[in-house]
Amino acid sequence: MKVHHIPFQETRYFSNLIGDYLDESSNLGQFYGNFPNMEGFKKQLELKRSSFGESSREILVKSLIRQYNSLNKSGLTEKNISSLTEESTFTITTGHQLNIFTGPLYFLYKIVSTINLTKQLAIQFPQYNFVPVYWMATEDHDFDEINYFNFKGKKVVWDRESSGAVGRLKTDGFDTIFKAFSEELGNSNNANSIKKIFESAYLKHTNLTDATRYLVNVLFGEYGLVIIDGDDAALKKEFGPIVKDELLNNTSYSEVSKTSKKLAENYSIQVNPREINLFYLKGNLRERIIYENNEYKINNTSIIFSKEEILNEVTNFPERFSPNVIMRPLYQEIILPNLCYIGGGGELAYWFQLKDYFSKLNTPFPILLLRNSVLLISEKQLVKLNKLKVTLQELFYKQEMLINKKVKEVSDIKIDFSEQRLFLQEQFLDLKELAKRTDKSFIGAVNAQEQKQLNGLDNLEKRLLKAQKRKLADIVTRIEFIQNQLFPNQSLEERTRNFSEIYLELGIDLIPMLLDALQPLKLEFTVVEY
């Protein structure tokens, strides 16, 4: 295995906002707290240590023990859960939707980044304990985003009706998926391992929460990962005062709107807050809470509460109140002794909108860390790239740009009219000087003629390039083939491909390889040769 690193900005797959964050641009300084480096973690430890109490730790540990009740924990996971009662223990957290069979590859990269960061921090700060946490987005209701995964260019889909929180969905219909997926996998040893994992997760558990918890525990339990479900009455009770504040004062709307307005001066806004950023969650129901005419109404239902009634509901049934994307981060930071959240570019974008909201509620804002992004490239693929003289950096070019560059490099004809353009522009400089000494109105005609001839050169160059592409069709086809393999649908592999494709090749070596390769604080894109 060899590991290469490319600056995120050079891949051209990440936003200006993320680029500015990684560069610690002054444009973003007010929208986050400590930066993800060792000095930042030192400050964050002091900040969080003074704000997370003993009773919160006890509630957290009891909830985790209950959530793990029917699951076989590794010794390290059990140790990590127990250690959370100690004031010297802190968490590093990532979160994700309950995509079936993990969804895209970056699901794994998030968790590996989280585990590896806890290892780095343990070396740097040996007086503390660091626990990797995966937050299951069990209360999410965007079923269409999680009901499939891609395998060898085909979608494997869980086709069913859905309502309410996805974590509560029954795993009906997975026997059909399992049968179809098994036929695609084949019968190798690695294929049979994948089938066993899938079958045990989805055919032997009754809801998506339990299935996902089992799956993630199988993949990462031995590395001490702690999996948490926020859909928990005891944990929601801890969040109750914030829920009441939201219902009465619309604090998140007020604060996030102000921050978003400032952020929008330089960047696109990821999410827009509602006046009340809570859902009402009961059974298969998860609907927005709306305040109208001095009443609290549950959207698309006939359920209505008075002010007194809804506050009593929060007190008696805190589990019925579900934070949306604006409030979920705060909920996480209230119930965990958390130092850092690890997420993708889109996630970090909306976290930047929340800093003032956290400050308003006297809650430490966590360090934000861009997860590791990875391109996995096999030895065979690397040999092909070397024969085509395509570098790893060039692989990230848009396909047309890459092909044009390579055709120009290998062509026996120079496909570059830069010298001709320069010569033409020099000739027209003389004409412009002549126009100035005669009739200044003539300059416009000279400029127009110059542009016409420059456009003509551009068209001739494009036609020559097109002709050379036809002549060098074999090279063009090979470049297209290898790049399409590594960048399916002209996108990053990690955003579409499922881990099972790589597992077929590498089997149980896949996750150890990733753990060896990924450096979360490197803050660069990772290319792994295997």
Side-chain angles (χ1 to χ4, degrees), residues 12 394 397-406:
R12 302 173 185 84
E394 288 172 335
Y397 290 178
K398 296 301 180 186
Q399 193 163 92
E400 184 178 12
M401 180 181 176
L402 175 61
I403 290 171
N404 289 349
K405 186 175 187 295
K406 290 300 150 183

Side-chain angles (χ1 to χ4, degrees), residues 301-530:
T301 75
S302 58
I303 302 172
I304 297 174
F305 295 99
S306 67
K307 174 181 170 182
E308 183 180 1
E309 287 170 339
I310 201 163
L311 292 178
N312 286 335
E313 189 82 352
V314 176
T315 299
N316 297 323
F317 304 102
E319 68 275 12
R320 294 180 182 175
F321 294 83
S322 175
N324 73 355
V325 66
I326 294 290
M327 291 188 68
R328 192 213 66 79
L330 183 71
Y331 176 38
Q332 169 191 297
E333 296 302 311
I334 290 288
I335 65 172
L336 291 175
N338 197 49
L339 301 176
C340 173
Y341 183 77
I342 298 178
E347 289 176 281
L348 265 56
Y350 69 72
W351 274 86
F352 288 130
Q353 296 176 241
L354 306 179
K355 176 71 161 49
D356 292 340
Y357 177 42
F358 274 66
S359 296
K360 182 72 173 180
L361 295 175
N362 298 313
T363 303
F365 194 71
I367 291 175
L368 302 178
L369 177 59
L370 183 65
R371 65 168 173 82
N372 283 119
S373 280
V374 183
L375 173 65
L376 299 173
I377 183 166
S378 70
E379 187 177 338
K380 289 181 181 179
Q381 289 170 326
L382 196 64
V383 168
K384 291 179 182 178
L385 286 174
N386 289 336
K387 286 181 179 178
L388 291 166
K389 296 183 179 178
V390 175
T391 67
L392 293 177
Q393 286 83 356
E394 288 172 335
L395 259 181
F396 288 84
Y397 290 178
K398 296 301 180 186
Q399 193 163 92
E400 184 178 12
M401 180 181 176
L402 175 61
I403 290 171
N404 289 349
K405 186 175 187 295
K406 290 300 150 183
V407 167
K408 288 179 180 180
E409 286 175 3
V410 302
S411 174
D412 54 4
I413 300 171
K414 188 176 181 181
I415 313 174
D416 184 351
F417 289 179
S418 298
E419 291 180 9
Q420 288 84 350
R421 287 189 188 88
L422 184 60
F423 177 78
L424 186 66
Q425 288 167 332
E426 288 174 350
Q427 300 306 305
F428 272 92
L429 281 176
D430 293 339
L431 285 173
K432 290 173 188 177
E433 285 300 320
L434 181 62
K436 289 177 183 177
R437 295 198 302 268
T438 54
D439 184 352
K440 290 185 179 180
S441 64
F442 186 51
I443 292 177
V446 173
N447 286 335
Q449 187 62 31
E450 178 186 26
Q451 190 59 53
K452 181 179 179 181
Q453 294 198 32
L454 287 171
N455 289 342
L457 279 177
D458 288 343
N459 289 330
L460 285 172
E461 187 177 295
K462 288 176 183 176
R463 289 181 65 180
L464 180 58
L465 179 59
K466 189 175 182 180
Q468 285 301 95
K469 284 181 182 178
R470 288 195 296 270
K471 184 178 179 180
L472 300 169
D474 177 61
I475 290 175
V476 170
T477 300
R478 286 158 61 198
I479 290 173
E480 288 175 341
F481 181 79
I482 188 68
Q483 195 189 44
N484 289 340
Q485 275 190 326
L486 295 167
F487 291 77
N489 303 317
Q490 290 296 287
S491 180
L492 292 177
E493 170 193 60
E494 63 180 29
R495 297 178 183 173
T496 56
R497 190 163 282 145
N498 182 260
F499 86 96
S500 55
E501 284 189 47
I502 312 299
Y503 197 97
L504 275 177
E505 293 183 67
L506 299 179
I508 60 173
D509 293 333
L510 171 60
I511 291 174
M513 181 188 77
L514 294 175
L515 287 163
D516 286 342
L518 303 194
Q519 301 177 46
L521 297 182
K522 182 76 173 175
L523 302 182
E524 291 188 329
F525 196 101
T526 306
V527 180
V528 179
E529 297 179 32
Y530 66 93

Side-chain angles (χ1 to χ4, degrees), residues 184-208:
E184 294 287 341
L185 283 167
N187 289 302
S188 67
N189 289 336
N190 288 341
N192 290 331
S193 295
I194 294 170
K195 292 175 192 177
K196 184 178 179 181
I197 294 170
F198 190 100
E199 182 179 22
S200 298
Y202 295 101
L203 273 60
K204 297 181 180 179
H205 292 87
T206 58
N207 61 55
L208 195 56

Side-chain angles (χ1 to χ4, degrees), residues 199-223:
E199 182 179 22
S200 298
Y202 295 101
L203 273 60
K204 297 181 180 179
H205 292 87
T206 58
N207 61 55
L208 195 56
T209 293
D210 291 343
T212 304
R213 184 189 288 112
Y214 175 87
L215 172 62
V216 176
N217 187 61
V218 166
L219 295 176
F220 293 104
E222 66 181 286
Y223 307 106

